[in-house]
Amino acid sequence: MKYFLLFTFLFASCYSLKAQEEESGNYDYDKEVLFGINKNTNGGLIGGISFKIGNRINDNLFQFFNLELANVKNPKEVRYPTALGNTYIFGKSNYLYAIRPQYGREIIAFKKAPHQGVQISFLAAVGPTIGLLAPYYIEYYINRTETVREPYDPEVHQSKFDILGPGRLFEGIGESEIAFGGNAKAAINFEFGFLKSNVTGLELGYQLEGFTKEIPLMPTTENRQIFQSAFITLYYGFRR
């Protein structure tokens, strides 16, 4: 009788362990696709967007390909109100739109249990940068009754009171110049998703970016060739 009870206990224990392993394994995934919105110290309210595809190398290591689109600003940019109730950046001559394809690795430091907890991982990525340097258009008075829209020129547009506001959205993008460079980032990732197929979380990190030439965002101030920023990315995506 005691051997039957012992056998029953061992069988129940093994079944319980197997069930726990399967439950834990239900959260494992091999591929992920994530979409993110970025806020950084070199951007505006929304600094950029990102698209990430990752796949598993081993239990705790993933590789990923990431594409970021970001608007890079000069730290000295200040918005001024106009008589029409909108705002513009006095002294700004160019936008910088950065396109960043990246390859990286992600190490999972703390795994989460299914349907609960937080997963923490560390990641790093590098890649080239393609910068689009687009002229910053403004609308201003040329006399009391006429206005024009044209790229800001510090030699011509010296009075803040004659400027009515910025140009139209993406105006001047067709006149962009290309600047080449490279970028690298390191970050810590916090995941809060409760399902295997869906994931939400945030990424906190530091990014360094450099170009082959100085980027003239504001001719009247010091312009840079190297940019660095802290960032936070909120993301949502799918896994399988």
Side-chain angles (χ1 to χ4, degrees), residues 128-157:
T129 297
I130 302 172
L132 299 181
L133 201 59
Y136 181 71
Y137 270 71
I138 59 169
E139 183 176 5
Y140 79 107
Y141 281 115
I142 55 175
N143 56 49
R144 291 177 178 237
T145 59
E146 293 182 275
T147 65
V148 295
R149 290 196 314 273
E150 63 182 19
Y152 173 81
D153 184 343
E155 299 296 327
V156 176
H157 312 117

mmCIF file of all heavy atoms in Angstrom, residues 128-157:
data_model
loop_
_atom_site.group_PDB
_atom_site.id
_atom_site.type_symbol
_atom_site.label_atom_id
_atom_site.label_comp_id
_atom_site.label_asym_id
_atom_site.label_seq_id
_atom_site.Cartn_x
_atom_site.Cartn_y
_atom_site.Cartn_z
ATOM 1 N N PRO A 128 23.691 52.539 -40.039
ATOM 2 C CA PRO A 128 23.911 53.806 -40.735
ATOM 3 C C PRO A 128 22.757 54.769 -40.505
ATOM 4 O O PRO A 128 21.672 54.375 -40.069
ATOM 5 C CB PRO A 128 23.974 53.372 -42.212
ATOM 6 C CG PRO A 128 23.083 52.174 -42.264
ATOM 7 C CD PRO A 128 23.257 51.461 -40.942
ATOM 8 N N THR A 129 22.992 56.037 -40.792
ATOM 9 C CA THR A 129 21.946 57.053 -40.754
ATOM 10 C C THR A 129 21.895 57.767 -42.096
ATOM 11 O O THR A 129 22.935 58.166 -42.630
ATOM 12 C CB THR A 129 22.195 58.088 -39.649
ATOM 13 O OG1 THR A 129 22.163 57.452 -38.374
ATOM 14 C CG2 THR A 129 21.130 59.182 -39.673
ATOM 15 N N ILE A 130 20.706 57.889 -42.634
ATOM 16 C CA ILE A 130 20.487 58.708 -43.825
ATOM 17 C C ILE A 130 19.695 59.927 -43.376
ATOM 18 O O ILE A 130 18.540 59.814 -42.941
ATOM 19 C CB ILE A 130 19.718 57.940 -44.909
ATOM 20 C CG1 ILE A 130 20.481 56.676 -45.297
ATOM 21 C CG2 ILE A 130 19.490 58.818 -46.130
ATOM 22 C CD1 ILE A 130 19.707 55.753 -46.211
ATOM 23 N N GLY A 131 20.328 61.085 -43.432
ATOM 24 C CA GLY A 131 19.680 62.313 -42.997
ATOM 25 C C GLY A 131 19.127 63.099 -44.173
ATOM 26 O O GLY A 131 19.818 63.298 -45.178
ATOM 27 N N LEU A 132 17.873 63.530 -44.064
ATOM 28 C CA LEU A 132 17.262 64.408 -45.058
ATOM 29 C C LEU A 132 17.223 65.815 -44.483
ATOM 30 O O LEU A 132 16.551 66.066 -43.485
ATOM 31 C CB LEU A 132 15.856 63.934 -45.413
ATOM 32 C CG LEU A 132 15.729 62.540 -46.029
ATOM 33 C CD1 LEU A 132 14.269 62.226 -46.335
ATOM 34 C CD2 LEU A 132 16.572 62.414 -47.283
ATOM 35 N N LEU A 133 17.954 66.717 -45.093
ATOM 36 C CA LEU A 133 18.055 68.098 -44.627
ATOM 37 C C LEU A 133 17.102 68.943 -45.474
ATOM 38 O O LEU A 133 17.418 69.316 -46.606
ATOM 39 C CB LEU A 133 19.491 68.584 -44.752
ATOM 40 C CG LEU A 133 19.926 69.775 -43.903
ATOM 41 C CD1 LEU A 133 19.749 69.472 -42.424
ATOM 42 C CD2 LEU A 133 21.369 70.137 -44.202
ATOM 43 N N ALA A 134 15.916 69.213 -44.934
ATOM 44 C CA ALA A 134 14.870 69.917 -45.684
ATOM 45 C C ALA A 134 14.773 71.364 -45.222
ATOM 46 O O ALA A 134 14.832 71.640 -44.020
ATOM 47 C CB ALA A 134 13.522 69.220 -45.480
ATOM 48 N N PRO A 135 14.615 72.315 -46.141
ATOM 49 C CA PRO A 135 14.518 73.729 -45.745
ATOM 50 C C PRO A 135 13.283 74.007 -44.896
ATOM 51 O O PRO A 135 12.216 73.428 -45.111
ATOM 52 C CB PRO A 135 14.451 74.475 -47.089
ATOM 53 C CG PRO A 135 13.994 73.460 -48.076
ATOM 54 C CD PRO A 135 14.529 72.143 -47.605
ATOM 55 N N TYR A 136 13.439 74.893 -43.919
ATOM 56 C CA TYR A 136 12.359 75.292 -43.024
ATOM 57 C C TYR A 136 11.649 76.505 -43.638
ATOM 58 O O TYR A 136 12.218 77.597 -43.731
ATOM 59 C CB TYR A 136 12.924 75.643 -41.655
ATOM 60 C CG TYR A 136 11.889 76.058 -40.629
ATOM 61 C CD1 TYR A 136 11.014 75.140 -40.084
ATOM 62 C CD2 TYR A 136 11.810 77.383 -40.185
ATOM 63 C CE1 TYR A 136 10.076 75.509 -39.128
ATOM 64 C CE2 TYR A 136 10.889 77.772 -39.233
ATOM 65 C CZ TYR A 136 10.013 76.828 -38.711
ATOM 66 O OH TYR A 136 9.087 77.197 -37.769
ATOM 67 N N TYR A 137 10.416 76.287 -44.087
ATOM 68 C CA TYR A 137 9.649 77.353 -44.722
ATOM 69 C C TYR A 137 8.920 78.186 -43.675
ATOM 70 O O TYR A 137 8.441 77.665 -42.671
ATOM 71 C CB TYR A 137 8.630 76.762 -45.696
ATOM 72 C CG TYR A 137 9.159 76.591 -47.101
ATOM 73 C CD1 TYR A 137 10.100 75.608 -47.384
ATOM 74 C CD2 TYR A 137 8.726 77.409 -48.138
ATOM 75 C CE1 TYR A 137 10.590 75.432 -48.672
ATOM 76 C CE2 TYR A 137 9.206 77.258 -49.437
ATOM 77 C CZ TYR A 137 10.139 76.271 -49.692
ATOM 78 O OH TYR A 137 10.625 76.123 -50.964
ATOM 79 N N ILE A 138 8.809 79.475 -43.955
ATOM 80 C CA ILE A 138 8.012 80.382 -43.134
ATOM 81 C C ILE A 138 7.107 81.208 -44.048
ATOM 82 O O ILE A 138 7.367 81.338 -45.253
ATOM 83 C CB ILE A 138 8.887 81.333 -42.292
ATOM 84 C CG1 ILE A 138 9.791 82.179 -43.207
ATOM 85 C CG2 ILE A 138 9.704 80.573 -41.268
ATOM 86 C CD1 ILE A 138 10.481 83.315 -42.493
ATOM 87 N N GLU A 139 6.067 81.751 -43.462
ATOM 88 C CA GLU A 139 5.197 82.689 -44.166
ATOM 89 C C GLU A 139 5.380 84.056 -43.533
ATOM 90 O O GLU A 139 5.314 84.181 -42.312
ATOM 91 C CB GLU A 139 3.742 82.255 -44.073
ATOM 92 C CG GLU A 139 2.793 83.158 -44.839
ATOM 93 C CD GLU A 139 1.356 82.665 -44.813
ATOM 94 O OE1 GLU A 139 1.101 81.657 -44.111
ATOM 95 O OE2 GLU A 139 0.500 83.288 -45.477
ATOM 96 N N TYR A 140 5.629 85.075 -44.356
ATOM 97 C CA TYR A 140 5.887 86.397 -43.782
ATOM 98 C C TYR A 140 5.370 87.493 -44.714
ATOM 99 O O TYR A 140 5.144 87.275 -45.913
ATOM 100 C CB TYR A 140 7.374 86.589 -43.492
ATOM 101 C CG TYR A 140 8.216 86.919 -44.698
ATOM 102 C CD1 TYR A 140 8.728 88.205 -44.896
ATOM 103 C CD2 TYR A 140 8.506 85.940 -45.654
ATOM 104 C CE1 TYR A 140 9.492 88.507 -46.000
ATOM 105 C CE2 TYR A 140 9.270 86.247 -46.760
ATOM 106 C CZ TYR A 140 9.758 87.526 -46.928
ATOM 107 O OH TYR A 140 10.505 87.813 -48.034
ATOM 108 N N TYR A 141 5.202 88.684 -44.129
ATOM 109 C CA TYR A 141 4.735 89.846 -44.883
ATOM 110 C C TYR A 141 5.867 90.407 -45.731
ATOM 111 O O TYR A 141 6.983 90.621 -45.246
ATOM 112 C CB TYR A 141 4.263 90.954 -43.931
ATOM 113 C CG TYR A 141 2.889 90.751 -43.352
ATOM 114 C CD1 TYR A 141 2.721 90.550 -41.982
ATOM 115 C CD2 TYR A 141 1.757 90.802 -44.164
ATOM 116 C CE1 TYR A 141 1.453 90.390 -41.444
ATOM 117 C CE2 TYR A 141 0.489 90.637 -43.626
ATOM 118 C CZ TYR A 141 0.353 90.433 -42.272
ATOM 119 O OH TYR A 141 -0.904 90.271 -41.735
ATOM 120 N N ILE A 142 5.546 90.681 -47.016
ATOM 121 C CA ILE A 142 6.493 91.456 -47.821
ATOM 122 C C ILE A 142 6.036 92.911 -47.926
ATOM 123 O O ILE A 142 6.822 93.800 -48.256
ATOM 124 C CB ILE A 142 6.667 90.843 -49.225
ATOM 125 C CG1 ILE A 142 5.312 90.699 -49.927
ATOM 126 C CG2 ILE A 142 7.366 89.500 -49.145
ATOM 127 C CD1 ILE A 142 5.442 90.206 -51.374
ATOM 128 N N ASN A 143 4.763 93.139 -47.640
ATOM 129 C CA ASN A 143 4.229 94.497 -47.463
ATOM 130 C C ASN A 143 2.969 94.368 -46.612
ATOM 131 O O ASN A 143 2.694 93.308 -46.071
ATOM 132 C CB ASN A 143 3.966 95.193 -48.814
ATOM 133 C CG ASN A 143 3.040 94.383 -49.706
ATOM 134 O OD1 ASN A 143 1.983 93.925 -49.262
ATOM 135 N ND2 ASN A 143 3.444 94.201 -50.966
ATOM 136 N N ARG A 144 2.182 95.390 -46.513
ATOM 137 C CA ARG A 144 1.033 95.382 -45.603
ATOM 138 C C ARG A 144 -0.073 94.422 -46.046
ATOM 139 O O ARG A 144 -0.919 94.047 -45.244
ATOM 140 C CB ARG A 144 0.455 96.800 -45.475
ATOM 141 C CG ARG A 144 1.381 97.742 -44.747
ATOM 142 C CD ARG A 144 0.798 99.134 -44.708
ATOM 143 N NE ARG A 144 1.695 100.008 -43.964
ATOM 144 C CZ ARG A 144 1.337 100.699 -42.914
ATOM 145 N NH1 ARG A 144 0.106 100.614 -42.456
ATOM 146 N NH2 ARG A 144 2.196 101.484 -42.306
ATOM 147 N N THR A 145 -0.092 94.072 -47.303
ATOM 148 C CA THR A 145 -1.204 93.257 -47.821
ATOM 149 C C THR A 145 -0.765 91.914 -48.402
ATOM 150 O O THR A 145 -1.609 91.049 -48.608
ATOM 151 C CB THR A 145 -1.963 94.027 -48.917
ATOM 152 O OG1 THR A 145 -1.063 94.363 -49.978
ATOM 153 C CG2 THR A 145 -2.579 95.299 -48.346
ATOM 154 N N GLU A 146 0.500 91.747 -48.664
ATOM 155 C CA GLU A 146 0.958 90.527 -49.333
ATOM 156 C C GLU A 146 1.865 89.702 -48.427
ATOM 157 O O GLU A 146 2.670 90.258 -47.666
ATOM 158 C CB GLU A 146 1.727 90.866 -50.621
ATOM 159 C CG GLU A 146 0.876 91.496 -51.708
ATOM 160 C CD GLU A 146 1.711 91.756 -52.953
ATOM 161 O OE1 GLU A 146 2.364 92.814 -53.002
ATOM 162 O OE2 GLU A 146 1.712 90.895 -53.847
ATOM 163 N N THR A 147 1.704 88.372 -48.542
ATOM 164 C CA THR A 147 2.582 87.452 -47.824
ATOM 165 C C THR A 147 3.146 86.427 -48.800
ATOM 166 O O THR A 147 2.557 86.170 -49.860
ATOM 167 C CB THR A 147 1.832 86.702 -46.707
ATOM 168 O OG1 THR A 147 0.843 85.853 -47.287
ATOM 169 C CG2 THR A 147 1.171 87.668 -45.744
ATOM 170 N N VAL A 148 4.277 85.854 -48.436
ATOM 171 C CA VAL A 148 4.883 84.788 -49.239
ATOM 172 C C VAL A 148 5.369 83.692 -48.296
ATOM 173 O O VAL A 148 5.558 83.911 -47.105
ATOM 174 C CB VAL A 148 6.065 85.304 -50.084
ATOM 175 C CG1 VAL A 148 5.600 86.300 -51.128
ATOM 176 C CG2 VAL A 148 7.154 85.886 -49.197
ATOM 177 N N ARG A 149 5.561 82.501 -48.858
ATOM 178 C CA ARG A 149 6.175 81.397 -48.120
ATOM 179 C C ARG A 149 7.478 81.036 -48.816
ATOM 180 O O ARG A 149 7.493 80.784 -50.023
ATOM 181 C CB ARG A 149 5.261 80.166 -48.086
ATOM 182 C CG ARG A 149 4.034 80.335 -47.230
ATOM 183 C CD ARG A 149 3.378 78.983 -46.925
ATOM 184 N NE ARG A 149 3.273 78.160 -48.105
ATOM 185 C CZ ARG A 149 2.253 78.199 -48.963
ATOM 186 N NH1 ARG A 149 1.267 79.059 -48.766
ATOM 187 N NH2 ARG A 149 2.216 77.407 -50.008
ATOM 188 N N GLU A 150 8.556 81.012 -48.046
ATOM 189 C CA GLU A 150 9.856 80.659 -48.604
ATOM 190 C C GLU A 150 10.777 80.192 -47.485
ATOM 191 O O GLU A 150 10.489 80.394 -46.297
ATOM 192 C CB GLU A 150 10.471 81.852 -49.345
ATOM 193 C CG GLU A 150 10.779 83.049 -48.486
ATOM 194 C CD GLU A 150 11.341 84.208 -49.304
ATOM 195 O OE1 GLU A 150 11.155 84.210 -50.537
ATOM 196 O OE2 GLU A 150 11.970 85.094 -48.705
ATOM 197 N N PRO A 151 11.902 79.538 -47.815
ATOM 198 C CA PRO A 151 12.813 79.071 -46.769
ATOM 199 C C PRO A 151 13.352 80.231 -45.943
ATOM 200 O O PRO A 151 13.640 81.309 -46.462
ATOM 201 C CB PRO A 151 13.935 78.390 -47.569
ATOM 202 C CG PRO A 151 13.312 78.006 -48.863
ATOM 203 C CD PRO A 151 12.316 79.091 -49.160
ATOM 204 N N TYR A 152 13.487 79.990 -44.639
ATOM 205 C CA TYR A 152 13.999 81.031 -43.754
ATOM 206 C C TYR A 152 15.441 81.369 -44.117
ATOM 207 O O TYR A 152 16.281 80.490 -44.331
ATOM 208 C CB TYR A 152 13.935 80.567 -42.297
ATOM 209 C CG TYR A 152 14.602 81.529 -41.346
ATOM 210 C CD1 TYR A 152 13.935 82.662 -40.904
ATOM 211 C CD2 TYR A 152 15.908 81.309 -40.912
ATOM 212 C CE1 TYR A 152 14.559 83.564 -40.056
ATOM 213 C CE2 TYR A 152 16.532 82.202 -40.061
ATOM 214 C CZ TYR A 152 15.856 83.333 -39.638
ATOM 215 O OH TYR A 152 16.482 84.216 -38.794
ATOM 216 N N ASP A 153 15.730 82.670 -44.184
ATOM 217 C CA ASP A 153 17.069 83.181 -44.468
ATOM 218 C C ASP A 153 17.390 84.241 -43.426
ATOM 219 O O ASP A 153 16.726 85.282 -43.377
ATOM 220 C CB ASP A 153 17.126 83.777 -45.879
ATOM 221 C CG ASP A 153 18.522 84.236 -46.266
ATOM 222 O OD1 ASP A 153 19.383 84.410 -45.371
ATOM 223 O OD2 ASP A 153 18.763 84.442 -47.459
ATOM 224 N N PRO A 154 18.396 84.026 -42.558
ATOM 225 C CA PRO A 154 18.685 85.000 -41.499
ATOM 226 C C PRO A 154 19.101 86.364 -42.032
ATOM 227 O O PRO A 154 18.988 87.367 -41.320
ATOM 228 C CB PRO A 154 19.817 84.339 -40.704
ATOM 229 C CG PRO A 154 20.433 83.368 -41.649
ATOM 230 C CD PRO A 154 19.321 82.884 -42.516
ATOM 231 N N GLU A 155 19.569 86.434 -43.277
ATOM 232 C CA GLU A 155 19.963 87.711 -43.856
ATOM 233 C C GLU A 155 18.754 88.522 -44.319
ATOM 234 O O GLU A 155 18.820 89.744 -44.429
ATOM 235 C CB GLU A 155 20.900 87.476 -45.053
ATOM 236 C CG GLU A 155 22.189 86.759 -44.701
ATOM 237 C CD GLU A 155 23.047 87.581 -43.760
ATOM 238 O OE1 GLU A 155 23.014 88.829 -43.884
ATOM 239 O OE2 GLU A 155 23.750 86.992 -42.921
ATOM 240 N N VAL A 156 17.644 87.832 -44.589
ATOM 241 C CA VAL A 156 16.450 88.497 -45.111
ATOM 242 C C VAL A 156 15.375 88.652 -44.038
ATOM 243 O O VAL A 156 14.790 89.719 -43.873
ATOM 244 C CB VAL A 156 15.880 87.703 -46.309
ATOM 245 C CG1 VAL A 156 14.569 88.334 -46.798
ATOM 246 C CG2 VAL A 156 16.904 87.632 -47.426
ATOM 247 N N HIS A 157 15.114 87.573 -43.296
ATOM 248 C CA HIS A 157 14.011 87.560 -42.340
ATOM 249 C C HIS A 157 14.528 87.897 -40.936
ATOM 250 O O HIS A 157 14.661 87.032 -40.089
ATOM 251 C CB HIS A 157 13.326 86.190 -42.350
ATOM 252 C CG HIS A 157 13.026 85.696 -43.720
ATOM 253 N ND1 HIS A 157 13.582 84.558 -44.255
ATOM 254 C CD2 HIS A 157 12.235 86.219 -44.693
ATOM 255 C CE1 HIS A 157 13.136 84.367 -45.477
ATOM 256 N NE2 HIS A 157 12.322 85.368 -45.775
#
